[in-house]
Amino acid sequence: MSIENAYNSWAKQYDNNENKTRDLDKKATISTLSNYKFNTVIELGCGTGKNTLWLLKNAQKIIGLDFSQEMLNKAKEKINTANVVFKKADLTKPWDIENDFADLVTSSLTLEHIKNLDVIFKQTSQKLKPNGLFFISELHPFKQYSGSKARFESENGTVELEVYTHHISEYLKSAKKYNFKLIEINEWFDQPSESEIPRLISFIFKK
Ligand SMILES: C[S@@+](CC[C@H](N)C(=O)[O-])C[C@H]1O[C@@H](n2cnc3c(N)ncnc32)[C@H](O)[C@@H]1O
């Protein structure tokens, strides 16, 4: 099943099924971005708008991009304001957004579905204002090495989505190629004891 179709199927239960990764991402996103100011935001792979709702408390204008119409429909059920525009778009193609639009580009749990990170860093650099921020929150590569990947239960059994492992060095190389500076890197654990493999990794890069 294509990634797009898998998310179209997942959409009806995405917000409600048990999903530690989704829940920890929300915590990581809010906890990290609460320390920054931004008005204009592009959300890559906005999905059902889980993080858009929080971003809207802090931003004047948000553009959410996603290629799953069903995920976008869920987002539109939650959020109906002129301040947020949801656009159906494939992130691996050119984004129909003016250059220097955003103070902040965010991407949560989406880059594991994108093979070539350069495509994302290049366009993020174009769409960010000078000194703009790029926030990434992803399944930690250690989790990926141990076999974790996006999956959900359907009527026909477990659906495992197509994913690409991204080593930490890949993020840093792509960031360097497009002249981003690393501002923050954090690892997020299920348990406060930090005795297990971290579930998520997050970065803040500055243009
Ligand atoms: C795990 S969901 C994350 C949704 C949301 N960011 C969150 O944290 O809840 C991944 C999202 O990325 C989208 N996505 C994956 N690959 C994409 C691509 N090439 N272009 C656009 N959207 C994509 C999927 O449709 C899905 O909505």
Side-chain angles (χ1 to χ4, degrees), residues 18 22 39 47 55 98 123 152 162:
E18 195 192 323
R22 174 201 62 209
N39 261 322
L55 290 166
E98 68 198 78
Q123 296 206 72
F152 67 99
E162 188 180 347

Side-chain angles (χ1 to χ4, degrees), residues 148-167:
S148 281
K149 55 169 72 170
R151 58 164 72 88
F152 67 99
E153 297 302 324
S154 77
E155 290 154 1
N156 305 319
T158 305
V159 178
E160 289 200 335
L161 281 79
E162 188 180 347
V163 294
Y164 304 96
T165 298
H166 294 307
H167 311 295

